[in-house]
Amino acid sequence: DTGVSQDPRHKITKRGQNVTFRCDPISEHNRLYWYRQTLGQGPEFLTYFQNEAQLEKSRLLSDRFSAERPKGSFSTLEIQRTEQGDSAMYLCASSLGTAHGYTFGSGTRLTVV
Amino acid sequence: GENVEQHPSTLSVQEGDSAVIKCTYSDSASNYFPWYKQELGKRPQLIIDIRSNVGEKKDQRIAVTLNKTAKHFSLHITETQPEDSAVYFCAASIRGGGADGLTFGKGTHLIIQP
């Protein structure tokens, strides 16, 4: 499968712990996005990278969240001091540019207990 | 910021009938409007999109219409089939799906009755 890959698929963590998720976009895609989706809702935009530069961050992204995309390839999303409200599906998407739609990954489902 | 409203939240139609899902957006600067289909436990998949310089776009049984004046756009599925059952999301973006990301509606659960 040459689509967008996310790892892990599922993560259960205790409140207060740190977690890190990884996204591998389609190789020729220079744009990478992180979204969060809760049950019964549409995805919510978190942050956007063009190559290695993080160009946009949603106000939903608190100081506990940080994302990186070293070398403009894969990306990581870290959540520090997790809270129960962080429980959600974290989706990564990539695209070639504004003339092209997104390809989403299958997501990482985070459960904070 | 942009706000996207989607209706209905649940739509049940007989197999073979047509289904229409409607969305409204708030920011007149929005210029890109994609639709995604998400089956249970799977990733959202782009099924069709339209830009503000076009009023209608078709792809086989799927069509999208855009009314910029009224700030609403709709998804039309004709000759519905069981595999069309899924949650459908509309979205809008100001920068053509770029740096501002997409603002999604809350989704419509489409149920195709056999």
Side-chain angles (χ1 to χ4, degrees), chain A residues 33 35 37 56 98 104-106, chain B residues 36 38 43 51 96-97 99 102:
Chain A
Y33 304 82
Y35 282 79
Q37 186 176 26
E56 196 80 19
T98 56
F104 277 94
S106 295
Chain B
Y36 286 83
Q38 188 173 29
R43 71 189 73 189
R51 297 184 186 272
L102 296 172

Side-chain angles (χ1 to χ4, degrees), chain A residues 1 3-4 9 31 33 35 37 40-43 45 48 55-56 91 98-106, chain B residues 1 32 36 38 41-46 49 51 89 95-107:
Chain A
D1 185 357
V4 178
R9 291 295 303 273
R31 295 166 183 249
Y33 304 82
Y35 282 79
Q37 186 176 26
Q41 301 293 319
F45 171 72
Y48 158 68
L55 296 185
E56 196 80 19
L91 292 164
T98 56
H100 305 269
Y102 292 8
T103 300
F104 277 94
S106 295
Chain B
Y32 175 65
Y36 286 83
Q38 188 173 29
K42 296 192 175 180
R43 71 189 73 189
Q45 290 192 299
L46 178 68
D49 56 12
R51 297 184 186 272
F89 293 98
R95 303 187 214 177
D100 64 324
L102 296 172
T103 301
F104 283 83
K106 292 190 175 183

